[in-house]
């Protein structure tokens, strides 16, 4: 087609059929060059709204080859254990570079948790109080509602930015990334209980649930599942019921009464004393099974220990191609910024 319905009008404007043109927030040079060389074919555009911004995600069919083995640098660094948490986003058995985009401490072994929701709680509480006082159906209530939505959108953007930095650093620096098979839905279940059997410490458990969801361990593992296949590494998953935090990484002794308040692991058998997250990361590295069952192309177990396939990356599809190649669908995620007053496009 000489003039397809989905095309770049210029390097900064995207043409979407009868919907019209949208100004790109970022440059579209990369997509423009790929389409011009015949390396990419735009198949569809998904227009969505987040907060006060409009986004156009361009779905393209791109021919590319995926690595089937790690690089020499990845092979030299070997396997890394990753213990996901709340106080720190992740404890690592091997360090990440301290001068990279990921904020780390403890010699590169502890990844800082920015806690974007907690940082925005004061502003969100104020905006929600203002919203609750507005009259329903008024223009002031609509403005207050947009203010709350904008703040939530900013929290999501900051969280995703950190997760993408961490997962890319892990997938590109190591040949095998080992994580726990966490049951996030069970971990964040309410402790309220029932009328007959009321729960205990409900407020404290609600705060822990909020902090756990703010760190997004499920999203971090989802990103690792497909990024490891992109960069030639593999993802290994530790059995859900293996007590990595309570086991000594030196002698194997298990702590009978370790609580979440205990941030330092003390072994009474061999005398080891170290940060509990680093101790768990060493256990995860040493006791994960073959990564073939945990990679994005393999299987893992659910809460009932039944085999399930891991989900693929959102916004990307894959088909068959020539030997040694795949035909992934590349979501360019080209953001298009318009006025918040623009009506929502109809499909």
């Amino acid at each position: 087609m000489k003039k397809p319905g989905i095309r770049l009008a210029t390097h900064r404007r995207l043409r979407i059929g009868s919907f019209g043109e949208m100004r790109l927030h970022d440059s579209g040079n990369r997509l423009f060059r790929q389409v011009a060389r015949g390396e990419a074919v735009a198949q569809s555009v998904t227009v969505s709204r987040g907060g006060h911004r409009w986004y156009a995600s361009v779905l393209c069919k791109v021919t590319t080859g995926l690595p089937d083995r790690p690089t020499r640098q990845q092979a030299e660094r070997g396997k890394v254990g990753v213990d996901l948490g709340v106080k720190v986003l992740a404890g690592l058995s091997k360090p990440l570079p301290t001068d990279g985009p990921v904020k780390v401490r403890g010699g590169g072994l502890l990844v800082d948790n920015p806690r974007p929701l907690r940082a925005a709680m004061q502003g969100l509480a104020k905006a929600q109080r203002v919203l609750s006082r507005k009259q329903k159906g008024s223009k002031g209530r609509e403005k207050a509602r947009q203010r709350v939505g904008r703040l939530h959108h900013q929290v999501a953007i900051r969280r995703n930015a950190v997760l993408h930095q961490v997962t890319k650093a892990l997938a590109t620096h190591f040949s095998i990334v080992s994580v726990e098979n966490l049951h996030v839905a069970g971990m964040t279940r309410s402790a309220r209980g029932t009328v007959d059997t009321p729960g205990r410490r409900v407020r404290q458990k609600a705060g822990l649930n909020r902090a756990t969801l703010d760190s997004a361990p499920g999203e971090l593992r989802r990103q690792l599942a497909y990024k490891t296949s992109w960069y030639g590494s593999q993802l290994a998953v530790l059995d859900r019921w293996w007590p990595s935090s309570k086991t000594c990484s030196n002698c194997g002794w298990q702590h009978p009464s370790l609580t979440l308040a205990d941030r330092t692991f003390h072994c009474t058998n061999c005398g080891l004393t170290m940060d509990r997250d680093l101790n768990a990361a060493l256990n995860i590295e040493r006791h994960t099974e073959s990564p073939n069952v945990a990679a994005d192309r393999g299987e893992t177990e659910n809460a009932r220990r039944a085999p399930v396939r891991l989900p693929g990356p959102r916004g990307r599809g894959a088909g068959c191609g020539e030997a040694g190649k795949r035909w992934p669908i590349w979501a360019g995620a080209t953001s298009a910024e318009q006025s918040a007053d623009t009506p929502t496009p109809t499909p």
Side-chain angles (χ1 to χ4, degrees):
M1 293 185 295
K2 293 183 178 179
K3 287 190 176 182
I6 304 170
R7 67 182 186 274
L8 284 169
T10 66
H11 292 287
R12 296 304 298 264
R13 301 193 70 84
L14 179 68
R15 177 76 182 180
I16 309 176
S18 60
F19 182 74
E21 293 184 0
M22 302 179 70
R23 181 183 180 275
L24 302 180
H25 183 68
D26 297 323
S27 174
N29 286 333
R30 179 186 176 190
L31 178 60
F32 187 86
R33 288 193 297 265
Q34 286 182 319
V35 173
R37 292 194 299 258
E39 298 176 357
V41 178
Q43 294 189 326
S44 66
V45 175
T46 301
V47 180
S48 60
R49 184 176 179 177
H52 64 296
R53 295 181 182 270
W54 287 91
Y55 295 91
S57 179
V58 183
L59 199 65
C60 296
K61 187 174 184 179
V62 182
T63 303
T64 183
L66 297 179
D68 56 355
R69 66 187 65 181
T71 62
R72 183 167 57 89
Q73 290 82 2
Q74 287 175 314
E76 290 175 354
R77 298 185 184 103
K79 187 177 182 181
V80 63
V82 182
D83 178 62
L84 305 179
V86 174
K87 186 177 179 62
V88 294
L89 184 61
L92 308 177
S93 60
K94 294 179 181 178
L96 282 174
T98 56
D99 56 349
V102 180
K103 293 184 178 180
V104 293
R105 54 187 173 87
L109 296 175
L110 298 175
V111 180
D112 288 336
N113 188 0
R115 302 190 183 186
L117 180 61
R118 190 179 72 168
M121 283 297 293
Q122 185 175 358
L124 273 172
K126 182 178 179 180
Q128 288 170 340
R129 284 196 299 268
V130 173
L131 175 63
S132 65
R133 298 189 187 103
K134 299 297 182 181
Q135 183 179 359
K136 292 185 178 180
S138 64
K139 292 183 178 179
R141 183 178 179 87
E142 178 62 21
K143 290 182 180 179
R145 185 192 65 79
Q146 292 179 3
R147 171 66 177 168
V148 173
R150 178 181 297 189
L151 291 175
H152 278 293
H153 183 58
Q154 291 173 354
V155 170
I157 289 177
R158 291 165 184 165
R159 181 185 298 118
N160 285 333
V162 173
L163 293 179
H164 278 293
Q165 290 174 350
V166 173
T167 52
K168 183 176 181 180
L170 292 173
T172 55
H173 278 79
F174 303 99
S175 60
I176 300 176
V177 183
S178 303
V179 296
E180 290 180 294
N181 187 13
L182 299 177
H183 185 206
V184 181
M187 293 168 53
T188 56
R189 189 169 294 139
S190 174
R192 187 175 302 172
T194 62
V195 176
D196 298 330
T197 57
R200 297 183 304 163
R201 303 175 66 87
V202 178
R203 187 182 296 272
Q204 291 84 343
K205 183 60 168 60
L208 178 61
N209 294 348
R210 188 183 305 111
T212 302
L213 294 174
D214 193 18
S215 61
E219 174 65 12
L220 192 145
R221 177 182 167 181
R222 185 193 72 85
Q223 293 183 13
L224 281 175
Y226 67 84
K227 287 187 180 181
T228 49
S229 65
W230 287 356
Y231 299 111
S233 52
Q234 291 180 303
L235 178 66
V237 181
L238 181 66
D239 181 77
R240 178 172 295 173
W241 316 107
W242 206 89
S244 60
S245 297
K246 294 184 177 182
T247 304
C248 176
S249 59
N250 186 40
C251 66
W253 174 80
Q254 291 189 8
H255 198 300
S257 58
L258 187 71
T259 64
L260 291 176
D262 300 326
R263 303 309 309 169
T264 303
F265 183 87
H266 300 280
C267 179
T268 59
N269 185 42
C270 66
L272 175 69
T273 300
M274 66 184 310
D275 186 280
R276 63 173 292 161
D277 296 321
L278 301 182
N279 177 72
L282 289 172
N283 284 325
I284 293 172
E285 177 191 351
R286 296 170 183 172
H287 295 280
T288 45
E289 297 179 357
S290 173
N292 294 329
V293 299
D296 183 40
R297 299 173 293 274
E299 295 183 349
T300 181
E301 293 182 351
N302 61 13
R304 298 178 181 177
R305 298 196 175 187
V308 294
R309 289 192 61 83
L310 288 174
R314 296 175 185 171
R316 297 180 184 246
C320 298
E322 301 173 359
K325 290 188 176 181
R326 295 172 63 193
W327 302 89
I329 304 301
W330 175 70
T334 305
S335 60
E337 185 176 358
Q338 287 187 340
S339 170
D341 298 331
T342 305
T344 304
T346 57

